[in-house]
Amino acid sequence: DRAIADIEAAIALYQTGPDLHYWRGFLAFTSGDTLQARTAYQRAIDLGTQNSEAYYQLGQVAFFNQNYGEAQQLYARAAEFAPEQPIYIFAQGFLLEAQQDYKGATKQYLDALALDSTFAKPLTRLHDIYLDFYENERVAMKYNAQLIRNQPLHPLGRYQLGNYHLRNALRARNSENATLFGEEINLAVESYTLSINRDPQYALARYFRGYAYFLAEQRVDLAIADMEEALKLDPTMRSAYFVLGSIYEYNGDLQSAKNYYEQAVKYQPDSKDFQQALREVQAQLK
């Protein structure tokens, strides 16, 4: 509030200063006032600013409001003013990805990396696109490995590595390779732990480490602790309720299992798996 008051006082003294209007827009956007932010950024542009951030931030407002065509034009304009800045290229890729143009997004992310090979954001998005859209786990993990080389303790990079080892563990379990399963589940736990150590508020890392502990069976107490911590961070995480229900049902505590299954159904009432699990434990309690 003090910063906004100072900027507005400065604007009253010098109404044609484009940078003052840019900062007024920045403070408005930061505080969640997108209407004021849009007005201030546009005023800075109208006054002839050559500040690439004014165009980029106005693009962010347009993106936030799902005005994708306007956002694209503004991101491109920002890139014209500062072609050496990869964030503007990345923003265009993220915009395309939001519109499910994954091939176009991939090109933009690669162009951003050509400007800065250590830029974490395009590496994380390329991982997800190759894993989910192209269904190419090998290439996805290549980008994640590059992220970890650049930032060894990056929480998302370690989380994604944990997911990779968890997938390997599940494949090993399905093929009844107990030795490989044990190795991969331990590597998954290790990666999730590194992610959590770096970001203790990372609810998904807590959940998946708990799930890995659950799969390992002899670590049930640790699984419960992680699931409960995940729910403290995100009380709507329906899968955590379901896993806790499964754990308690497996250990014979049917009332606790029922309570957790009910919470899972509450947050995802259309899940047939959740509904079936609840019905089965209710039948056992009768």
Side-chain angles (χ1 to χ4, degrees):
D1 291 343
R2 175 68 181 275
I4 289 173
D6 285 347
I7 288 293
E8 289 183 342
I11 289 172
L13 294 171
Y14 182 37
Q15 297 183 16
T16 58
D19 285 344
L20 294 177
H21 290 282
Y22 161 74
W23 283 111
R24 181 64 185 89
F26 178 82
L27 291 170
F29 190 63
T30 301
S31 63
D33 187 350
T34 57
L35 181 61
Q36 176 62 46
R38 180 184 178 87
T39 300
Y41 287 139
Q42 188 61 59
R43 180 59 176 157
I45 290 171
D46 292 342
L47 288 170
T49 184
Q50 295 189 12
N51 183 349
S52 59
E53 279 292 292
Y55 289 91
Y56 170 68
Q57 294 293 350
L58 187 56
Q60 293 287 78
V61 174
F63 179 85
F64 180 81
N65 291 318
Q66 298 185 345
N67 297 325
Y68 293 147
E70 180 184 354
Q72 167 60 32
Q73 293 177 359
L74 290 162
Y75 290 151
R77 188 66 170 146
E80 289 177 10
F81 278 106
E84 75 285 356
Q85 292 296 331
I87 186 63
Y88 306 140
I89 308 299
F90 169 82
Q92 294 177 68
F94 196 71
L95 176 62
L96 291 171
E97 188 179 352
Q99 299 172 88
Q100 299 184 342
D101 181 356
Y102 298 111
K103 292 182 179 180
T106 297
K107 180 183 181 303
Q108 294 295 327
Y109 294 150
L110 290 173
D111 287 346
L113 285 175
L115 293 173
D116 180 2
S117 63
T118 68
F119 191 8
K121 288 184 177 181
L123 290 170
T124 62
R125 299 314 312 147
L126 284 167
H127 167 275
D128 286 0
I129 286 176
Y130 272 94
L131 188 64
D132 299 327
F133 177 69
Y134 293 115
E135 296 183 346
N136 189 328
E137 184 179 61
R138 181 186 61 82
V139 175
M141 295 313 299
K142 180 190 76 171
Y143 288 114
N144 196 68
Q146 185 176 341
L147 173 63
I148 291 175
R149 282 196 301 273
N150 295 335
Q151 301 182 46
L153 295 179
H154 193 287
L156 181 55
R158 288 294 173 179
Y159 167 77
Q160 298 289 19
L161 185 59
N163 289 347
Y164 170 71
H165 288 300
L166 181 58
R167 291 193 297 272
N168 284 341
L170 291 171
R171 286 190 282 257
R173 189 177 68 166
N174 290 337
S175 63
E176 299 183 351
N177 188 333
T179 300
L180 181 59
F181 170 80
E183 292 173 354
E184 290 293 338
I185 208 72
N186 287 334
L187 288 170
V189 167
E190 178 183 308
S191 294
Y192 292 136
T193 299
L194 288 171
S195 178
I196 293 165
N197 288 345
R198 189 61 178 238
D199 182 3
Q201 304 302 307
Y202 203 158
L204 279 174
R206 293 273 184 185
Y207 166 77
F208 278 106
R209 188 176 70 174
Y211 183 59
Y213 282 142
F214 173 53
L215 292 177
E217 294 185 1
Q218 71 271 23
R219 301 179 178 180
V220 170
D221 289 346
L222 294 174
I224 291 173
D226 266 344
M227 290 296 168
E228 290 179 343
E229 187 61 33
L231 287 172
K232 288 179 184 177
L233 297 168
D234 180 4
T236 68
M237 189 180 288
R238 52 193 181 272
S239 53
Y241 289 113
F242 181 72
V243 172
L244 281 167
S246 300
I247 291 173
Y248 281 107
E249 182 180 7
Y250 180 79
N251 287 278
D253 186 346
L254 298 182
Q255 185 58 54
S256 294
K258 174 179 174 290
N259 294 340
Y260 281 113
Y261 286 146
E262 285 175 341
Q263 289 298 309
V265 170
K266 172 185 174 181
Y267 288 108
Q268 190 173 348
D270 60 345
S271 171
K272 293 181 179 179
D273 290 339
F274 293 177
Q275 292 171 0
Q276 180 65 24
L278 179 58
R279 283 195 298 268
E280 289 178 356
V281 80
Q282 285 174 331
Q284 295 180 68
L285 284 168
K286 289 181 179 179

